Amino acid sequence: METELKPVTNVPASVGVLALQGDVEEHLHALARAGAAPRLVKTAAELEAVDGLIVPGGESTTVIRLLDRFELAEPLVARVRAGMPFWGTCMGMIVAAHDVAQLDQATLDLIDITVRRNAFGRQIASEEADLVIPVLGERPFPGVFIRAPWVERAGPDVEVLATHRGYGVFVRQGNVIGTSFHPELSGDGRLHEYFIGMVQSARKAAAA
Ligand code: GLN
């Protein structure tokens, strides 16, 4: 008897977390809780094997340097341009931006936004705030901000899906999303589920 081929979408989405620096563990746990198969990504071969990638929080200038040193920048940009879902949280959103306000900082230019680093100022460098995020439902989302950037400019193809203090803090352009805050530290799995949904749709489209 022939073995029946299972549709690819029954297999948990393989979602990578860039593990050069930053809060990797929390994302791995949140992904597993949300039903994905989490993978650490440190090499081009590991990047090749995932269906989507998260770049976590950390220090953006360090990670840009490490991406070059580990020869990951080029393959990463190529895969995202080819449609692989990408999510940058905090530092990850800075790395993905078109440019950084008032700083001559290298970025990967994956989404047409200008970000401002450490934008919320010293007094409120870290805070937790309830965010209204209609694409995640009515219940407010607990936004954990840690020396967070905000979105100072969003190009015409960018959807601003949440704001805080008047600035964009959750943005999407096609297969790329960015959040100023840290959903992996909030205990609320809805953003990881949203991203896994993007990964599943991309896999379905690729298999069709
Ligand atoms: N302030 C950091 C940067 O500019 C980002 C902070 C974070 O990711 N929590 O790189």
Side-chain angles (χ1 to χ4, degrees):
M1 213 175 101
E2 264 179 57
T3 46
E4 202 183 308
L5 281 177
K6 284 217 178 85
V8 67
T9 44
N10 280 1
V11 179
S14 163
V15 179
V17 181
L18 186 74
L20 302 180
Q21 193 242 11
D23 67 332
V24 174
E25 281 293 309
E26 291 83 355
H27 271 298
L28 297 176
H29 292 311
L31 283 168
R33 277 199 303 271
R39 303 269 182 267
L40 292 174
V41 171
K42 285 191 195 151
T43 65
E46 287 163 349
L47 174 66
E48 197 50 47
V50 295
D51 301 314
L53 184 73
I54 295 176
V55 174
E59 218 289 312
S60 53
T61 47
T62 307
V63 166
I64 280 281
R65 262 205 311 276
L66 291 175
L67 279 169
D68 271 334
R69 189 179 311 160
F70 285 69
E71 292 178 353
L72 274 166
E74 252 179 61
L76 195 165
V77 170
R79 281 217 64 198
V80 176
R81 298 241 157 98
M84 179 184 74
F86 175 101
W87 176 14
T89 57
C90 203
M91 168 275 276
M93 183 171 79
I94 300 170
V95 167
H98 174 69
D99 58 350
V100 182
Q102 288 181 336
L103 287 175
D104 185 17
Q105 179 172 334
T107 59
L108 298 181
D109 193 13
L110 300 173
I111 178 166
D112 187 17
I113 56 173
T114 301
V115 293
R116 181 173 294 271
R117 287 177 66 187
N118 303 310
F120 290 97
R122 269 175 182 276
Q123 286 81 3
I124 51 159
S126 299
E127 68 171 335
E128 192 167 331
D130 277 347
L131 303 174
V132 176
I133 309 185
V135 293
L136 299 183
E138 270 181 27
R139 190 158 42 88
F141 193 91
V144 177
F145 292 84
I146 304 170
R147 297 187 310 283
W150 68 38
V151 176
E152 196 142 309
R153 180 197 62 85
D157 297 331
V158 175
E159 298 168 86
V160 178
L161 297 173
T163 60
H164 179 50
R165 298 181 186 268
Y167 288 91
V169 293
F170 175 21
V171 285
R172 176 169 183 174
Q173 183 176 1
N175 57 318
V176 177
I177 60 173
T179 53
S180 300
F181 49 98
H182 291 265
E184 75 284 7
L185 301 179
S186 70
D188 189 319
R190 284 177 291 162
L191 244 157
H192 286 81
E193 285 158 20
Y194 179 85
F195 184 64
I196 293 166
M198 287 172 60
V199 175
Q200 297 286 25
S201 306
R203 288 206 308 170
K204 247 187 240 168

